[in-house]
Amino acid sequence: PSSTPQPEMVEPVRAGATRAFRGRAGDAHAAAAGSAAAAQAEPSSPPGLAPQPEVREQRWFNVEIEDHAPDKPLAAGEWYTLAIDVDVRQRTSALAVSKVAVEEDLLFTEGVDEVQLTIQLDSEDFEISERTRPLRVPRIGPSRGKARFDLSPLREGRSTIKATIHKDGNFIQQMEITLAVGQSVPRAVEVKSVGRPPSAANVLRHRDVGLSLQPAADGYDCVVWGAVSSRARLKIQPAHLASAIDAVRQELLKLIMNEDGNGDYIFQTGIDIPTDQREVALTTLARAGSRLFQQIFFGPAAGADSKAVGDFLRRMANDDTRLKLQIIAESAPIPWSLLYVGDASAGAKLSWDNFLGMRHVIEQIPLQTTLSVSDATIPSDRPDLAVSINLNSGIDAQMGVTVVADQQSFWDRTRTNRKRVQVVPRTTAADLVKALASGETKDQILYFYCHAEAAGLNDPGGPDKSCLVLSDAKVTLGDLNLDAPTSTQLRGNPLVFINACESAELSPAFYDGFVPYFMAKGARGVVGTECKTPALFAAQWAKRFFEEFLGGEVLGETFLKLRREFLDVHGNPLGLLYAVHCDGDTQIAPAL
């Protein structure tokens, strides 16, 4: 069979580790440690004291080539059976092991003792006879059986298999396993694991389409799961992708700075957009979004596999069904909501419905090696909901408006009218850094209304110079990493909302630095703007968002609802500028 990946469509990655095993000695040592941990007895409670919480046993993904010694290389052209299961120990027969993270407070819902995961294998180094298999995982203990795959190496050398694990189309975990093929190849087996713990699988809801992107030598490795499964190499270099995204941003900035016949900046001075300006916006955004979609999937170097994925997404997005689309990405800050999947050529009939973000629920989840939060619920009754508002109070004086004062009044009313909401205001850089440096900060919603600036690799100081601008000073990413390091976790696991207004220096690259920082600090996710957003619109969007979200509405559905509301009621499409870097099912419970 050819070694070129083919555009095959069949049928579906948050906490983990990277680990290398060299022969049986390393495996035996790890297995002994794992067995010892599993054998520890649960301590009994002293007389008169309440029983201690159940101690959850550590579990492991074990990857084996059945009937084949783990220290023996594979042979090109031969067929093998690869088996993946979950066990309470690291077995000496395993050629690769990945730790399964389990959180003590994350339990299966009442009455559910088992979940079924789907394991999907993808590789351009192996022929795989059947790419998806089920794996049943109980509440505790080993899995019920194994997920088995027949595969054959296509060539000698270091060869990689990517195993993506999902439940009902919702990403759980991904393992990248590198094996030796051929006698002359070094035999170290490497496994890199990223994702979320399988113990969270029961709280995850259905997704229609899932897609992961990871940098590769000649572009991005793309894995698709859900109604179909596929793998493709997107042959666009990171610098080229960044340039293409920046071109979209420039079109957005031109739109926001567009003047009407009277010289007024329509998008900056009001929420309601006249019909003629709305048509200008549709043409501008459709052509920019269509061009970016074309560059990602149909560029000059695109292969049949890349085009097949692009065609699949276009078909799915143009169907009458509203999709829940999940994007798992590493260093690919694509503004997915702005992608236009219809015909945007000269003379074509344009429609707002052809933007992904105007018809579908989109969540962008950062691919990472640790994740503190798997549950999508923000509790509001332990004993209350802790909100901090981090503001640049100078915006009002700078612009001659009252948007900051209006938001402070909104939160004062919210604190009065919605019981159990506690609000902490901050306006200085020192107060923000102090809060982020403390392990006692209990913010569950960390809201910013301020300026923000993005810095890239080629800018003086590099990405560390990206910053949030509060009333008195800038807080750079470099400052935060030094003065409020990620080793100190945020106790409240907050949803971070960065409402960056009038920030000409903001770009999607901003989130390449701040999203990983906040997620590593224990945040459940980050939402915010893709580029400069008019101050008035940003304030109105936040007000409507929190009215819905505090009332118990689901995050992803709320963003879609508000995009349509601002477009249909006000003719304003700027809701497309907001992105959800978070589980779209996140919601406050009980509602307030």
Side-chain angles (χ1 to χ4, degrees), residues 362-429:
I362 303 171
E363 59 183 11
Q364 300 167 239
I365 298 176
L367 193 62
Q368 54 203 305
T369 55
T370 60
L371 190 74
S372 302
V373 184
S374 297
D375 193 348
T377 299
I378 301 176
S380 63
D381 56 355
R382 300 180 186 174
D384 48 37
L385 181 74
V387 179
S388 72
I389 54 173
N390 303 270
L391 307 172
N392 183 333
S393 57
I395 290 175
D396 283 357
Q398 172 191 343
M399 300 183 60
V401 294
T402 60
V403 291
V404 176
D406 291 344
Q407 289 188 83
Q408 290 173 313
S409 297
F410 168 81
W411 283 107
D412 287 341
R413 292 192 304 273
T414 298
R415 183 167 41 193
T416 300
N417 298 333
R418 296 183 189 260
K419 304 304 180 185
R420 303 195 315 274
V421 175
Q422 298 297 320
V423 181
V424 174
R426 303 186 192 106
T427 58
T428 69

Side-chain angles (χ1 to χ4, degrees), residues 284-482:
T284 300
L285 296 180
R287 290 183 66 82
S290 178
R291 179 59 181 142
L292 181 57
F293 185 75
Q294 183 184 67
Q295 288 171 295
I296 295 170
F297 296 102
F298 301 95
D305 54 349
S306 176
K307 294 176 182 178
V309 170
D311 286 335
F312 164 71
L313 288 176
R314 180 177 282 142
R315 280 196 314 275
M316 292 289 289
N318 285 325
D319 189 55
D320 291 336
T321 305
R322 188 191 66 180
L323 300 177
K324 289 188 175 180
L325 177 61
Q326 183 177 79
I327 311 295
I328 312 295
E330 178 183 338
S331 301
I334 296 170
W336 290 93
S337 294
L338 282 161
L339 293 186
Y340 190 85
V341 294
D343 180 5
S345 61
K349 182 177 176 56
L350 304 177
S351 170
W352 290 109
D353 287 341
N354 288 331
F355 288 95
L356 285 182
M358 281 298 185
R359 286 185 54 196
H360 308 293
V361 176
I362 303 171
E363 59 183 11
Q364 300 167 239
I365 298 176
L367 193 62
Q368 54 203 305
T369 55
T370 60
L371 190 74
S372 302
V373 184
S374 297
D375 193 348
T377 299
I378 301 176
S380 63
D381 56 355
R382 300 180 186 174
D384 48 37
L385 181 74
V387 179
S388 72
I389 54 173
N390 303 270
L391 307 172
N392 183 333
S393 57
I395 290 175
D396 283 357
Q398 172 191 343
M399 300 183 60
V401 294
T402 60
V403 291
V404 176
D406 291 344
Q407 289 188 83
Q408 290 173 313
S409 297
F410 168 81
W411 283 107
D412 287 341
R413 292 192 304 273
T414 298
R415 183 167 41 193
T416 300
N417 298 333
R418 296 183 189 260
K419 304 304 180 185
R420 303 195 315 274
V421 175
Q422 298 297 320
V423 181
V424 174
R426 303 186 192 106
T427 58
T428 69
D431 285 345
L432 173 62
V433 172
K434 180 180 178 181
L436 296 180
S438 172
E440 297 305 310
T441 298
K442 61 179 185 177
D443 295 1
Q444 293 167 281
I445 294 177
L446 185 60
Y447 174 65
F448 293 89
Y449 184 85
C450 60
H451 297 312
E453 298 174 4
L457 290 173
N458 298 323
D459 295 315
D464 268 4
K465 289 300 181 182
S466 292
C467 65
L468 296 161
V469 187
L470 296 189
S471 301
D472 63 335
K474 298 179 179 179
V475 180
T476 69
L477 183 60
D479 292 336
L480 291 178
N481 278 300
L482 284 175

Side-chain angles (χ1 to χ4, degrees), residues 18 38 77 122-123 134 147 215 224 233 267 269 281 320 365 386 394 398 404 460 489 520 540:
T18 301
D122 291 282
S123 178
V224 180
R233 182 61 54 84
F267 281 92
T269 56
D320 291 336
I365 298 176
Q398 172 191 343
V404 176
Q489 295 287 287
Q540 288 296 316

Side-chain angles (χ1 to χ4, degrees), residues 9 40 49 56 77 79 158 207 240 267 300 304 306-307 319 321 363 410 473-474 499 531 546 552 575 588:
M9 293 285 181
Q40 289 180 349
L49 294 182
R56 304 289 300 280
W79 282 90
R158 302 290 289 165
R207 297 293 182 269
H240 186 190
F267 281 92
S306 176
K307 294 176 182 178
D319 189 55
T321 305
E363 59 183 11
F410 168 81
K474 298 179 179 179
N499 209 12
C531 78
F546 283 114
I588 293 171

Side-chain angles (χ1 to χ4, degrees), residues 11-64:
E11 198 188 341
V13 219
R14 286 178 222 183
T18 301
R19 187 162 185 157
F21 295 89
R22 299 183 179 273
R24 290 181 180 275
D27 282 347
H29 177 77
S35 298
Q40 289 180 349
E42 184 176 333
S44 58
S45 302
L49 294 182
Q52 297 299 305
E54 176 189 3
V55 177
R56 304 289 300 280
E57 60 190 347
Q58 179 62 63
R59 295 194 281 187
W60 309 84
F61 280 113
N62 286 271
V63 182
E64 297 177 317

